[in-house]
Amino acid sequence: NLYKIPLTSTSVVRKVLKKRIDYFYIRRQWDLVPSPSIYLKLMSCFSGGYTHANILNSMRVWYRVTSKDEASAYPCVMVTEKLPQGEFLKCRVSDYTPKKQKYYAFMLYVRFEDVKPKYYNHYMQASKCINLKKPVIDNGRITKCDSCEMWLTDVDFEIIKQTYNFSYTIVELYKAKKGYLDVKVIKYILE
């Protein structure tokens, strides 16, 4: 039947996984579907992989360049890292501490002031910024700016803290409990 041909290799994996896990696991996943307002915030936080040239080398043509890259880090992350396991709920800004980052995934709305880079690789995406003032942009990435606001995950926020100098205010904060994926899912990924 033409309709049973999988469109992608991911759909093949999903079908096999669906057969191996029980109804209760699938039911729990449906309970995690976010409200429309939280979904929009999560989409604002979303950022793909970092693929950007160093500004010092971006206009040069290099020959005999070798490089190495992971085929995909997703399976490793899915097996070894704790991921959000519950609903993102609004919380106090004071809840954002290194100790709580072990137990919760955070979604932050941050206002940055006087942003300046520490290095020549720039991480902040101009397309993700709200109220961006006086930016200097390097191929879509912010080199520096007077101020901007953006939705971020705690992982992205920590990277930005390592790569830029700035002052900031956390305007809004949400958290969700973190945990490992279900054992059946982990076993299937390892297989």
Side-chain angles (χ1 to χ4, degrees):
N1 183 330
L2 185 62
Y3 293 103
K4 294 192 178 190
I5 297 173
L7 297 176
T8 64
S9 56
T10 305
S11 63
V12 173
V13 172
R14 267 196 217 110
K15 284 179 183 178
V16 173
L17 181 60
K18 216 172 185 181
K19 289 177 185 174
R20 294 191 182 193
I21 55 178
D22 57 15
Y23 166 80
F24 298 105
Y25 181 80
I26 294 170
R27 182 69 190 108
R28 272 196 322 254
Q29 299 313 302
W30 277 107
D31 291 340
L32 294 176
V33 173
S35 68
S37 66
I38 295 294
Y39 178 76
L40 291 173
K41 290 173 174 78
L42 288 166
M43 288 302 296
S44 295
C45 287
F46 176 78
S47 184
Y50 180 81
T51 56
H52 193 264
N54 180 310
I55 195 169
L56 298 177
N57 299 315
S58 64
M59 300 306 287
R60 293 182 180 177
V61 177
W62 296 86
Y63 297 96
R64 293 185 210 91
V65 173
T66 60
S67 64
K68 294 183 180 180
D69 193 9
E70 297 176 73
S72 179
Y74 294 128
C76 178
V77 169
M78 292 169 71
V79 170
T80 60
E81 299 289 330
K82 289 184 176 182
L83 304 168
Q85 297 288 311
E87 184 181 357
F88 275 91
L89 301 170
K90 194 168 187 173
C91 59
R92 294 170 298 173
V93 172
S94 60
D95 282 352
Y96 189 72
T97 64
K99 185 178 178 183
K100 289 192 178 176
Q101 282 179 280
K102 293 177 186 175
Y103 306 105
Y104 294 97
F106 289 93
M107 179 172 57
L108 312 88
Y109 186 72
V110 183
R111 181 178 301 119
F112 295 98
E113 303 283 338
D114 196 27
V115 178
K116 292 187 176 106
K118 293 181 182 178
Y119 310 105
Y120 290 106
N121 289 322
H122 307 118
Y123 189 80
M124 295 172 77
Q125 298 173 49
S127 63
K128 294 288 182 181
C129 291
I130 304 162
N131 300 325
L132 183 57
K133 303 248 178 19
K134 294 186 181 177
V136 174
I137 297 175
D138 160 31
N139 195 21
R141 304 285 177 154
I142 294 173
T143 303
K144 63 180 181 177
C145 68
D146 283 355
S147 67
C148 68
E149 299 170 9
M150 62 194 314
W151 281 100
L152 299 163
T153 64
D154 54 326
V155 174
D156 287 327
F157 186 50
E158 293 305 318
I159 292 169
I160 289 170
K161 285 181 2 185
Q162 291 172 13
T163 57
Y164 289 89
N165 290 312
F166 53 81
S167 58
Y168 70 94
T169 305
I170 298 174
V171 178
E172 210 170 330
L173 184 68
Y174 292 80
K175 68 181 179 182
K177 286 186 180 178
K178 283 199 297 193
Y180 293 108
L181 291 177
D182 188 90
V183 173
K184 291 177 186 174
V185 175
I186 290 174
K187 284 181 180 178
Y188 179 60
I189 293 167
L190 292 173
E191 183 184 308

